[in-house]
């Protein structure tokens, strides 16, 4: 019980707490549900009779966050939560030129997509702009979040560049709320897709060679140099009789 309390205080997931207990005491019989029940009891005691939403609002207010919620029409069911710290708002107004947006999944017990919005300083340091939890990954949900972000700026401060993954609903929302910003795809997500869909077509040695060509391509500092590396990679793939698969 003491160990569960300590690990819960560190925001460790019940599943990982269970795995830790099994490693420390493999001969004792436990099931994951036992840990989940204890964690639920601990969290209920911490809320002191408040609902999860009331508890969250208390945390946000006590820690100087700005936040907004959206409820389902005709009910009191919260469908979206947007929040940012006042210090983040200051940074966002100082450096509004670049905005990166990503949504993650299954990071909470409600399985609601969690959106993180990040900014960039002129010295290439990233900072958190805001977070949001939404009920669905649809254009309307993303538009609501981005409109909250936009409201923190003056009209002349809108971002010039927005980076996202290839989520069409998110890309459409960015075009609607920030129509004048250049919209780019995140290089990290592109790299993950290349790994997922291409690696199986290469031998280990050829894959290392391909990654070398690919690295030169994505690090290109200008369009002419990019075109040069792209031609080299196309030629190499044609020579290896793989052009039909990748181009």
């Amino acid at each position: 019980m003491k160990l569960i309390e300590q690990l819960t205080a560190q925001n460790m997931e019940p599943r990982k707490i269970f795995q830790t207990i099994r490693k420390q005491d493999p001969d004792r019989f436990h099931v994951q549900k036992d840990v989940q029940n204890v964690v639920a009891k601990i969290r209920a005691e911490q809320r002191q009779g408040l609902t999860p939403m009331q508890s969250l609002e208390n945390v946000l207010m006590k820690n100087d966050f700005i936040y907004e919620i959206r409820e389902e029409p005709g009910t009191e069911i919260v469908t979206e939560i947007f929040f940012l710290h006042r210090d983040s708002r200051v940074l966002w107004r100082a450096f509004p030129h670049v905005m990166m947006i990503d949504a993650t999944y299954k990071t909470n017990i409600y399985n609601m997509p969690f959106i993180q919005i990040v900014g960039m300083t002129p010295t290439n340091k990233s900072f958190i702009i805001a977070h949001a939890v939404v009920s669905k990954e649809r254009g309307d949900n993303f538009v609501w979040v981005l409109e909250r972000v936009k409201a923190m700026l003056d009209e002349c401060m809108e971002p010039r560049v927005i980076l996202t993954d290839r989520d069409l609903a998110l890309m459409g929302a960015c075009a609607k709320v920030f129509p004048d910003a250049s919209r780019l795809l995140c290089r990290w997500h592109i790299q993950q897709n290349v790994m997922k869909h291409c690696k199986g077509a290469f031998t280990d040695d050829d894959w290392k060679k391909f990654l070398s060509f690919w690295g030169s391509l994505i690090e290109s500092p200008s369009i002419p140099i990019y075109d040069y590396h792209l031609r080299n990679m196309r030629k190499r793939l044609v020579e290896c009789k793989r052009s039909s698969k990748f181009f």
Side-chain angles (χ1 to χ4, degrees), residues 107-210:
T107 55
N108 53 74
I109 61 174
Y110 307 104
N111 288 325
M112 297 173 71
F114 177 74
I115 301 171
Q116 185 164 323
I117 304 171
V118 177
M120 185 70 68
T121 72
T123 55
N124 291 328
K125 301 295 183 180
S126 60
F127 64 93
I128 298 296
I129 297 174
H131 300 94
V133 179
V134 297
S135 57
K136 297 175 182 177
E137 284 188 290
R138 294 183 179 175
D140 174 65
N141 305 85
F142 287 127
V143 166
W144 184 85
V145 172
L146 293 176
E147 285 177 343
R148 309 281 83 70
V149 174
K150 185 177 182 179
M152 300 296 154
L153 301 173
D154 293 329
E155 186 174 349
C156 63
M157 295 178 174
E158 293 187 7
R160 299 177 185 176
V161 178
I162 300 175
L163 285 86
T164 67
D165 62 4
R166 201 174 180 278
D167 185 319
L168 298 181
L170 176 56
M171 293 170 69
C174 291
K176 182 175 181 179
V177 179
F178 298 107
D180 296 327
S182 297
R183 294 178 296 279
L184 305 177
L185 292 177
C186 170
R187 192 170 72 177
W188 184 86
H189 285 94
I190 294 174
Q191 179 84 359
Q192 296 305 302
N193 281 331
V194 169
M195 295 284 288
K196 179 180 178 180
H197 297 292
C198 299
K199 187 175 182 180
F202 290 88
T203 64
D204 290 342
D205 288 341
D206 283 347
W207 177 244
K208 292 178 182 178
K209 295 175 183 177
F210 171 79

